[in-house]
Amino acid sequence: DAMVIQNPRYQVTQFGKPVTLSCSQTLNHNVMYWYQQKSSQAPKLLFHYYDKDFNNEADTPDNFQSRRPNTSFCFLDIRSPGLGDAAMYLCATSREAGAIDTQYFGPGTRLTVL
Amino acid sequence: AQSVTQLGSHVSVSEGALVLLRCNYSSSVPPYLFWYVQYPNQGLQLLLKYTSAATLVKGINGFEAEFKKSETSFHLTKPSAHMSDAAEYFCAVSEGRYGNKLVFGAGTILRVKS
């Protein structure tokens, strides 16, 4: 089945220690998204790639970076995680970048910062 | 900026009873509206979406939603709740340069009692 895969499902890191979360997709979609969902809150878009074009949300902290080396993979890098960065991180994809294009979500990676 | 308000952070219904989850939106342009469901420790799954076609939208798992412009509402309903419907439900509106940024409401946790 075509799908969005996130690894690992659970990640523990130490305060200030860089961490990378991974997302891959077999849907061959052009657009990949990263959302942050803190406990009991709504998901919030951090950034997205349309093909190789990176689109950052204005309020996304500089501490968060992303890489998309090819169509299938997208990475979220947190350079110096703080306690406030503990959250579920959701990857999503869509075929195109229009509002009408359904976003398909992965199962998420739950990040714990000690 | 678009926004979404979900009335009621928790809703409890008996199995077999009507499910009604409320969503009101704020948008300066005709909106695209979505309902997503999230089961514990999982990603989001699209239930249905409104894209300015029919105002009554039918989705998966027996859910439907009606777009009412005069009330700026997009409430989600299901005639008969099932235990498997217990989850968190998010209403979302699209915005952004391409229209593909999802702005989510705070979510409503649905509990189904046997």
Side-chain angles (χ1 to χ4, degrees), chain A residues 3-8 20-26 31-34 66-76 89-93 104-109:
Chain A
M3 55 197 306
V4 181
I5 302 159
Q6 290 189 246
N7 286 309
T20 295
L21 308 182
S22 170
C23 177
S24 64
Q25 53 127 343
T26 61
V31 192
M32 296 187 77
Y33 308 79
W34 281 104
S66 186
R67 296 171 284 133
R68 189 179 185 187
N70 54 53
T71 300
S72 300
F73 284 87
C74 193
F75 301 99
L76 170 62
Y89 290 88
L90 298 167
C91 175
T93 73
Y104 296 86
F105 285 79
T109 294

Side-chain angles (χ1 to χ4, degrees), chain B residues 50-96:
Chain B
Y50 169 75
T51 57
S52 72
T55 56
L56 181 62
V57 182
K58 294 188 183 298
I60 62 171
N61 301 339
F63 284 94
E64 63 182 37
E66 186 172 9
F67 173 72
K68 291 187 176 180
K69 184 178 179 180
S70 61
E71 299 178 7
T72 61
S73 69
F74 190 56
H75 301 331
L76 182 71
T77 60
K78 182 174 180 178
S80 177
H82 192 272
M83 297 296 289
S84 61
D85 295 326
E88 188 161 18
Y89 292 79
F90 291 94
C91 183
V93 64
S94 64
E95 69 166 23

Side-chain angles (χ1 to χ4, degrees), chain A:
Chain A
D1 285 344
M3 55 197 306
V4 181
I5 302 159
Q6 290 189 246
N7 286 309
R9 292 293 311 275
Y10 299 89
Q11 176 74 57
V12 180
T13 190
Q14 292 181 335
F15 183 94
K17 184 176 181 180
V19 65
T20 295
L21 308 182
S22 170
C23 177
S24 64
Q25 53 127 343
T26 61
L27 297 160
N28 202 31
H29 283 174
N30 288 316
V31 192
M32 296 187 77
Y33 308 79
W34 281 104
Y35 289 83
Q36 178 192 61
Q37 185 180 22
K38 295 187 177 180
S39 182
S40 302
Q41 295 186 24
K44 181 176 177 297
L45 182 65
L46 294 173
F47 27 58
H48 75 273
Y49 272 96
Y50 183 88
D51 195 13
K52 295 181 180 180
D53 181 26
F54 178 70
N55 297 271
N56 197 33
E57 292 301 304
D59 56 356
T60 298
D62 293 339
N63 198 26
F64 291 86
Q65 305 286 321
S66 186
R67 296 171 284 133
R68 189 179 185 187
N70 54 53
T71 300
S72 300
F73 284 87
C74 193
F75 301 99
L76 170 62
D77 300 308
I78 309 176
R79 292 191 297 187
S80 182
L83 297 179
D85 297 327
M88 175 79 88
Y89 290 88
L90 298 167
C91 175
T93 73
S94 64
R95 184 181 303 279
E96 293 295 337
I100 201 169
D101 294 288
T102 298
Q103 293 186 25
Y104 296 86
F105 285 79
T109 294
R110 183 168 297 282
L111 178 68
T112 300
V113 182
L114 301 178

Side-chain angles (χ1 to χ4, degrees), chain A residues 9 42 57 97 99-100 102-103, chain B residues 32 38 41 43 49 99-101 105:
Chain A
R9 292 293 311 275
E57 292 301 304
I100 201 169
T102 298
Q103 293 186 25
Chain B
Y32 285 179
Q38 186 176 35
N41 292 314
K49 62 182 178 183
N100 63 335
K101 175 182 176 179

